[in-house]
Amino acid sequence: MTKNIKWWQKAVVYQVYPRSFQDANGDGIGDLQGIEQRLDYIEKLGADVIWLNPIYASPDKDNGYDISDYEDINAKFGNMADFDRLLQKAHDKNIKILMDLVVNHTSDQHKWFIESRSSKTNDKRDFYIWRDPVDGHEPNNWGSFFSGPAWKFDDESGQYYLHLFVEGQPDLNWVNPKVRQSVFDMMNFWVDKGIDGFRMDVISLISKPDGLPDGEVPEGGEYGNSDRAVANGPHVHEYLQEMRQKVLNRADMMTVGEASGVDIDNAIKYAAKDTSELNMVFQFEHMGLDNNPNPALGKWYDKKVNLIDLKQNLSKWQNKLANKAWNSLYWDNHDQPRAVSRYGDDRPEYRVVSAKMAATLLHFMQGTPYIYQGEEIGMTNAYNLKRADFDDIEIKNAFKYLIDKDHLTDEETMLRYVHAKGRDNARTPMQWDDSQNAGFTTGEPWLKLNDNFQTINAQEALVDPQSIFYYYQKLIRLRHELPIITTGTYQLLDSDDDQVYAYRRVLDNEQLLVINNFTDQVLNRDYHVDLNADVLISNYEDDQGSTLRPYESKVYRF
Ligand code: ISL
Ligand code: CA
């Protein structure tokens, strides 16, 4: 097995959210030149790949996920020459670049949509999903992912168009072969530039079910669940195989599909070992374990995940994908709250130790780990932001619909939920140092900073040998050095222990025992470890055997 390992199976990815990483020209918005200035930092961490969130031309209705020109750079971030230089500089350091590919939908400002909307007989009409009203209403009951209906009525032509996300994000009609060919041509434009792969936005949604049937309405909700109605549609695998033939096979690329609504069986098809489609998917099951028990409120909730549920879920993915497909490993990204706040404990006395614990838990699993910018310094959720400070359309709509319209919850509770789950927790500017605006910008930042930047920042981390940063650096180095982390089998221990997450990795005669105290309590657990066993990595300086201190995490190697 070791011989057939692909480069992306040993790689660690660092996700950069360009808008919030580093502003080079003082306009308050991160940009490509800013990323270039910080390449040394990413190189020091040791990551192999950078995934860039969308940097294409966009009216920014959903922070770049509404693209108006796939072959141009958003002027806020720079221009194509800046991109070409960034790619070159990254490659000079042996760092690869993964581009975000957003092709379930475009912006309503994309020239295809402008033409499509211009008349019912335009030859681009069929590039999008247009339907007549049914009894004067929307063609079906689907809700938008970001609240409200998924259909927008167009006065000119008297038809509705589908937008699973916001109004400014009309869904492309993948049934049309011209749409597919246009997307593949555009992808080849980027492949020809020498990029190293794609992260594919909501790729599980591109094939809509025949006849667009209504979705199930959650109790207390108003709209049908479009995620469940649409995900893994009838032709999605066929389209991805076509993409593989026409684009992906042209180079040695890495692909990861964002796959909401995907279960194990589907993931095995998307990410099968034979690589007929993608290399791996981002599954969402573990992201939903701490959802609100009221389905109408979806993710909006502030209770921590139950450890047994988490173990069951992650172990299922580890075991069932083994030898069949490949996992991606992540705690957070630009759509999720901060890892230490959600899975660790961001109180000052536990922040560092618990961030390292969460990192250990994830990084010794099988799969390709993703680190979201700031995770490596233990950035926390942004509790100082108030309703008026938020920028994210999902958060704004949630306030608007769930309080103002549906009255599902009150403003104060909603704010608590947003502090726990909102996407802006991840999007506040990167905290580089303790100077004004955390060294992110000399101007006015586009989104308010987390007010803890004076204590939590990269400069601080880089001078402290015990920092979270150096812990991640070591995790990455170990993954590069020890094949067992990539190829070993996974065995969960004590599945009914709701305080400690322990597992083994096994490869031939070698073994790793990974122990994580998920609580702030001192616990006692005996894993019958030989007194002479080597501690490979730990977040405490000494080993106290069966005594586990708060959030203690350690890995033995036999
Ligand atoms: O963010 C989510 C929940 O808060 C997810 O449901 C998210 O909307 C879903 O995973 C799709 O995300 C991707 O596509 C969206 C974009 O807004 C996200 O940033 C992107 O990661 C639409 O393009
Ligand atoms: Ca800028």
Side-chain angles (χ1 to χ4, degrees):
M1 175 149 187
T2 318
K3 259 192 260 148
N4 299 323
I5 290 300
K6 309 273 200 320
W7 66 265
W8 42 265
Q9 291 180 297
K10 281 194 77 149
V12 177
V13 182
Y14 186 80
Q15 182 188 349
V16 169
Y17 193 67
R19 199 172 303 261
S20 303
F21 197 55
Q22 176 67 61
D23 175 21
N25 66 351
D27 66 355
I29 305 170
D31 44 46
L32 296 176
Q33 292 194 15
I35 301 171
E36 188 185 326
Q37 290 169 12
R38 297 295 185 179
L39 279 177
D40 288 344
Y41 173 82
I42 300 172
E43 182 183 38
K44 181 159 191 166
L45 183 65
D48 307 278
V49 182
I50 295 172
W51 152 25
L52 285 181
N53 282 103
I55 53 166
Y56 315 97
S58 165
D60 281 332
K61 291 277 156 42
D62 182 22
N63 282 8
Y65 281 93
D66 49 322
I67 297 170
S68 54
D69 187 345
Y70 290 103
E71 298 182 16
D72 198 6
I73 303 291
N74 189 332
K76 291 176 186 163
F77 297 152
N79 57 37
M80 198 56 89
D82 295 323
F83 175 79
D84 292 338
R85 208 177 45 249
L86 175 63
L87 183 65
Q88 187 56 53
K89 291 260 165 82
H91 283 173
D92 290 346
K93 292 182 180 300
N94 260 319
I95 297 175
K96 297 185 193 288
I97 297 219
L98 203 64
M99 299 293 280
D100 219 307
L101 179 79
V102 188
V103 290
N104 173 69
H105 44 266
T106 67
S107 158
D108 62 354
Q109 300 306 307
H110 193 287
K111 61 178 190 242
W112 299 339
F113 190 75
I114 292 173
E115 282 187 51
S116 181
R117 155 179 253 177
S118 69
S119 94
K120 276 173 148 173
T121 53
N122 185 280
D123 68 355
K124 293 270 186 321
R125 186 68 170 182
D126 227 18
F127 262 51
Y128 295 85
I129 301 171
W130 292 95
R131 291 291 183 277
D132 287 327
V134 175
D135 303 329
H137 286 287
E138 283 83 6
N140 70 19
N141 73 357
W142 293 354
S144 151
F145 272 63
F146 298 149
S147 309
W151 295 93
K152 169 78 180 165
F153 189 68
D154 181 52
D155 289 325
E156 297 273 297
S157 61
Q159 287 192 312
Y160 284 93
Y161 71 83
L162 177 70
H163 62 88
L164 290 179
F165 293 88
V166 295
E167 269 175 42
Q169 292 171 302
D171 281 54
L172 281 165
N173 178 22
W174 275 71
V175 174
N176 183 346
K178 287 188 187 145
V179 165
R180 301 202 297 277
Q181 195 53 52
S182 308
V183 167
F184 301 151
D185 289 345
M186 171 277 282
M187 291 174 76
N188 279 323
F189 166 86
W190 289 98
V191 175
D192 291 339
K193 276 191 173 290
I195 63 149
D196 304 286
F198 295 102
R199 173 270 183 187
M200 302 184 185
D201 193 58
V202 288
I203 204 69
S204 52
L205 301 180
I206 58 176
S207 168
K208 312 315 189 235
D210 296 329
L212 313 184
D214 279 348
E216 196 189 308
V217 183
E219 222 184 293
E222 194 179 343
Y223 297 99
N225 184 321
S226 55
D227 192 9
R228 231 170 293 152
V230 177
N232 316 307
H235 304 290
V236 65
H237 297 292
E238 190 185 306
Y239 298 157
L240 289 176
Q241 286 161 24
E242 186 183 350
M243 182 191 284
R244 164 68 52 193
Q245 299 303 322
K246 294 191 171 157
V247 181
L248 303 175
N249 279 347
R250 296 180 59 234
D252 182 15
M253 308 248 279
M254 164 173 174
T255 51
V256 49
E258 191 205 23
S260 73
V262 166
D263 60 14
I264 296 259
D265 293 333
N266 261 295
I268 291 175
K269 287 190 200 150
Y270 286 111
K273 228 165 104 179
D274 67 3
T275 55
S276 56
E277 297 180 18
L278 306 176
N279 299 147
M280 65 193 103
V281 295
F282 289 129
Q283 64 101 356
F284 273 73
E285 286 183 356
H286 66 308
M287 293 287 118
L289 297 175
D290 47 5
N291 275 2
N292 199 303
N294 174 358
L297 279 169
K299 75 175 201 177
W300 300 113
Y301 202 40
D302 62 351
K303 296 282 172 302
K304 292 235 163 164
V305 68
N306 173 302
L307 184 61
I308 300 210
D309 294 344
L310 185 67
K311 280 173 158 182
Q312 249 168 23
N313 186 267
L314 295 180
S315 302
K316 179 179 79 177
W317 282 85
Q318 287 290 297
N319 292 326
K320 296 218 169 155
L321 257 49
N323 297 316
K324 293 205 177 96
W326 192 250
N327 264 301
S328 66
L329 307 170
Y330 73 97
W331 282 141
D332 57 3
N333 58 44
H334 65 292
D335 291 334
Q336 301 295 338
R338 290 284 177 183
V340 67
S341 301
R342 188 179 189 177
Y343 298 103
D345 188 332
D346 61 15
R347 287 176 291 175
E349 64 272 40
Y350 296 127
R351 188 183 63 86
V352 172
V353 74
S354 71
K356 292 175 181 173
M357 182 279 293
T360 316
L361 207 173
L362 196 74
H363 279 249
F364 278 92
M365 290 191 179
Q366 184 169 56
T368 301
Y370 291 73
I371 300 168
Y372 179 66
Q373 71 182 40
E375 180 184 334
E376 77 285 3
I377 55 169
M379 278 176 63
T380 69
N381 282 353
Y383 305 111
N384 57 309
L385 272 59
K386 299 284 176 288
R387 181 168 179 181
D389 299 320
F390 295 113
D391 167 87
D392 175 25
I393 186 83
E394 184 186 40
I395 297 178
K396 288 182 174 165
N397 284 354
F399 274 111
K400 191 160 110 201
Y401 284 87
L402 303 180
I403 305 174
D404 303 350
K405 195 155 159 278
D406 287 351
H407 307 291
L408 281 169
T409 184
D410 58 281
E411 171 129 8
E412 201 187 313
T413 312
M414 192 63 209
L415 184 62
R416 241 182 31 243
Y417 293 167
V418 170
H419 282 159
K421 289 290 192 61
R423 306 199 293 184
D424 280 343
N425 287 304
R427 299 177 180 184
T428 60
M430 178 70 184
Q431 293 163 205
W432 293 107
D433 56 42
D434 63 4
S435 70
Q436 210 194 357
N437 295 324
F440 163 69
T441 182
T442 53
E444 193 57 41
W446 72 274
L447 177 65
K448 206 170 176 173
L449 282 130
N450 191 318
D451 62 4
N452 62 19
F453 71 85
Q454 271 153 346
T455 43
I456 304 174
N457 61 62
Q459 191 181 45
E460 196 80 20
L462 290 173
V463 297
D464 173 10
Q466 304 302 326
S467 70
I468 304 168
F469 180 93
Y470 290 114
Y471 197 87
Y472 270 92
Q473 186 189 58
K474 185 166 177 188
L475 289 171
I476 297 173
R477 200 174 59 234
L478 289 171
R479 180 168 288 265
H480 291 157
E481 286 169 2
L482 303 180
I484 186 173
I485 300 176
T486 307
T487 55
T489 55
Y490 168 94
Q491 289 166 14
L492 179 66
L493 301 175
D494 303 333
S495 55
D496 53 359
D497 184 336
D498 63 0
Q499 296 179 304
V500 180
Y501 192 143
Y503 60 91
R504 281 182 213 284
R505 301 292 307 278
V506 180
L507 180 69
D508 303 324
N509 298 327
E510 196 184 341
Q511 237 193 76
L512 300 175
L513 172 59
V514 185
I515 301 168
N516 302 288
N517 179 355
F518 217 72
T519 74
D520 60 2
Q521 311 291 306
V522 178
L523 305 173
N524 213 286
R525 294 289 187 283
D526 191 357
Y527 295 97
H528 309 289
V529 178
D530 181 335
L531 286 174
N532 300 317
D534 284 342
V535 176
L536 189 61
I537 187 168
S538 167
N539 58 358
Y540 278 80
E541 270 175 38
D542 59 329
D543 180 15
Q544 296 193 356
S546 56
T547 302
L548 299 178
R549 287 151 288 183
Y551 301 107
E552 179 159 356
S553 186
K554 54 189 172 181
V555 180
Y556 292 104
R557 186 181 185 198
F558 308 98

